[in-house]
Amino acid sequence: MPGCAHEFDVQWLCSLCNLWLRARWHGRCSLHLAILTTGSSATNSLSNTHFCMKKIEAIIKPFKLEEVKDALADLGVEGMTVTEVKGFGRQKGHTEIYRGSEYTVDFLPKVKLEIVLGDEIAEKAVATIVAAAKTGKIGDGKVFTFSVESATRIRTEETGEKAL
């Protein structure tokens, strides 16, 4: 499976499905455990697995949050998680004077957005975030995209994109 930390030949692994191997792989990648416990019948369905959801994590300047939120709402994004964070990159922070003493502020305030979306809208959402958060100055932030294997809505127990 591409991107999996424990790449291996699925056919070979399924043929070695025994107690020792189950114990050895227990607690590792859930895909491997699923193959070990279901046997070779899972080979075809697991090798064709396509993740249909993406998680977008964006670190942006705090004053750009409303602009990004409004732009994503116009795109049809219904939910997101927002966290106030601190960090630095190339910006490296700055110095301030407090009560006559100069000190360095290494970690600058940022906002982290977390959004899980279907594949078909993920690229548009990334482009929207970049356009809305961009000031053209150092410290504008970063956007990361990850594949999401599954999602479950707790209240209704819906899974996949229906849970979003």
Side-chain angles (χ1 to χ4, degrees), residues 99-133:
R99 294 189 177 179
S101 298
E102 187 175 301
Y103 66 98
T104 303
V105 178
D106 290 331
F107 295 101
L108 300 170
K110 301 288 181 182
V111 172
K112 178 178 168 181
L113 304 175
E114 295 175 86
I115 309 161
V116 179
L117 302 166
D119 265 352
E120 68 283 347
I121 195 172
E123 284 185 38
K124 289 180 184 177
V126 169
T128 300
I129 292 168
V130 169

Side-chain angles (χ1 to χ4, degrees), residues 72-114:
L72 287 170
D74 291 344
L75 190 64
V77 174
E78 294 179 347
M80 68 179 71
T81 301
V82 178
T83 311
E84 292 180 6
V85 295
K86 291 184 178 191
F88 70 92
R90 291 183 186 163
Q91 200 173 5
K92 300 278 194 272
H94 61 279
T95 58
E96 289 186 6
I97 297 176
Y98 179 72
R99 294 189 177 179
S101 298
E102 187 175 301
Y103 66 98
T104 303
V105 178
D106 290 331
F107 295 101
L108 300 170
K110 301 288 181 182
V111 172
K112 178 178 168 181
L113 304 175
E114 295 175 86

Side-chain angles (χ1 to χ4, degrees), residues 52-58 81 112-119 122 126 143-149 164:
C52 59
M53 296 174 289
K54 299 283 187 202
K55 179 178 182 182
I56 299 169
E57 288 186 7
T81 301
K112 178 178 168 181
L113 304 175
E114 295 175 86
I115 309 161
V116 179
L117 302 166
D119 265 352
V126 169
V143 180
F144 305 98
T145 306
F146 307 93
S147 293
V148 174
E149 185 176 339
L164 302 178

